[in-house]
Amino acid sequence: MPSPPATPQVTDPTAIATSAAGTATVLVVDDDPSLRRMLRTGLAAEGYAVIEAASGTEALQQLGAEPPSGRHPDICLLDLGLPDIDGIDLIHRIRQATALPIIVLSVRDHEEAKVEALDFGADDFVTKPFGMGELLARLRTALRHRGQDQGGPSHLRIKDMTLDLVRGEILFGDKMIRLSATEFRILRVLAQHAGRILTHQQIIAEVWGTKVPRDIQYLRVYIRALRQKIEPDPARPAYILTESGVGYRLHAADEPFGSSAALPPPIL
């Protein structure tokens, strides 16, 4: 078997325009043809253009300067169980060359796999089986982050909560909620990645810095305090969601509350 190509030299996707019609192009990397076909049909029905790759080698070719498809992808859906290149290694190689958003689709549902994929640069992790509604919501979130400038939005509104990320204020309607400086830094990090899973260590590094080791329990204390202040029912959080054993994510602005119960039946 020929050795896989080197890490591609590609243009940062923030500088790659989508097609003239404004259609986002999704690179689906999976060795299961029935899954690729199902995703192609579902994504095309929602207006996405789809490029397929059955291996890591094909994925790297599609990410090169002259992709065989003639299109540069805007986002990648990646299965970890590829026949030629380990999925985690592929994430690392892609991330070395480009900031292309990567959503992992995998049957590996153990915490270690999720943490490893996210720490190596994946933007999100969706466990099989999943519903098309859930996947589309994750796609929209990842693409929205891709289109934001480096500083991120100045305001974020989620249902009744508005965060002023510049002035450091949080409002519910016209009522201001007082947060400590650390509480707001944590909420700001989550807000700047709303809808995206952040591992415990990613949050700790952004809030306290990589040179200050913190135990996960230290972060949990602050999350608990935040929930007491912003959640209507802290025992059943609606804004700061726990990804068990992995980390946290802030409810995305376009994600309906209670959406997990309203998702269509799994397609996989």
Side-chain angles (χ1 to χ4, degrees):
M1 178 185 294
S3 59
T7 301
Q9 299 299 312
V10 298
T11 307
D12 191 301
T14 56
I16 297 175
T18 53
S19 68
T23 302
T25 299
V26 182
L27 173 60
V28 177
V29 186
D30 198 295
D31 62 340
D32 183 349
S34 62
L35 173 60
R36 295 199 308 272
R37 182 169 58 251
M38 193 175 298
L39 287 173
R40 182 178 66 243
T41 301
L43 292 170
E46 296 295 325
Y48 292 98
V50 178
I51 304 170
E52 297 180 35
S55 67
T57 300
E58 290 183 16
L60 292 174
Q61 291 171 345
Q62 292 291 354
L63 291 167
E66 298 182 359
S69 65
R71 300 179 66 103
H72 289 284
D74 299 297
I75 189 168
C76 176
L77 301 182
L78 172 64
D79 178 49
L80 294 180
L82 299 173
D84 57 344
I85 303 176
D86 179 73
I88 298 297
D89 182 49
L90 184 58
I91 292 171
H92 181 60
R93 292 169 69 171
I94 293 173
R95 192 53 73 233
Q96 285 182 315
T98 174
L100 182 81
I102 302 170
I103 298 178
V104 171
L105 309 179
S106 180
V107 295
R108 303 181 194 176
D109 60 353
H110 51 281
E111 297 168 2
E112 293 82 1
K114 295 179 181 179
V115 171
E116 186 177 26
L118 293 166
D119 281 344
F120 266 86
D123 294 84
D124 207 345
F125 193 109
V126 179
T127 303
K128 300 176 182 177
F130 54 83
M132 198 66 191
E134 177 188 7
L135 179 60
L136 290 170
R138 303 290 183 93
L139 272 172
R140 288 192 297 269
T141 297
L143 287 168
R144 182 173 63 249
H145 288 154
R146 171 187 179 274
Q148 291 172 351
D149 60 22
Q150 190 173 8
S154 61
H155 290 77
L156 179 70
R157 182 175 178 84
I158 302 174
K159 202 173 181 181
D160 299 327
M161 181 175 69
T162 302
L163 283 77
D164 186 329
L165 302 179
V166 175
R167 300 177 64 183
E169 297 176 350
I170 177 171
L171 299 172
F172 277 87
D174 57 357
K175 180 182 178 182
M176 182 180 297
I177 305 296
R178 295 187 179 276
L179 301 178
S180 71
T182 300
E183 288 169 349
F184 189 83
R185 285 200 301 271
I186 293 171
L187 192 58
R188 177 172 182 159
V189 168
L190 292 169
Q192 288 173 330
H193 303 281
R196 174 182 171 183
I197 302 169
L198 296 181
T199 68
H200 299 114
Q201 294 305 323
Q202 285 173 331
I203 298 171
I204 289 170
E206 289 205 44
V207 173
W208 287 285
T210 56
K211 295 183 179 180
V212 183
R214 299 283 181 177
D215 187 83
I216 292 174
Q217 187 58 35
Y218 193 79
L219 173 62
R220 287 174 176 157
V221 169
Y222 279 100
I223 293 293
R224 189 178 305 118
L226 269 171
R227 284 173 169 164
Q228 290 293 329
K229 293 182 179 181
I230 72 171
E231 298 283 1
D233 181 359
R236 301 181 63 186
Y239 293 101
I240 302 176
L241 308 179
T242 298
E243 298 291 338
S244 182
V246 178
Y248 301 96
R249 70 182 177 93
L250 191 70
H251 202 290
D254 59 353
E255 179 184 358
F257 279 87
S259 58
S260 58
L263 290 175
I267 62 170
L268 304 176

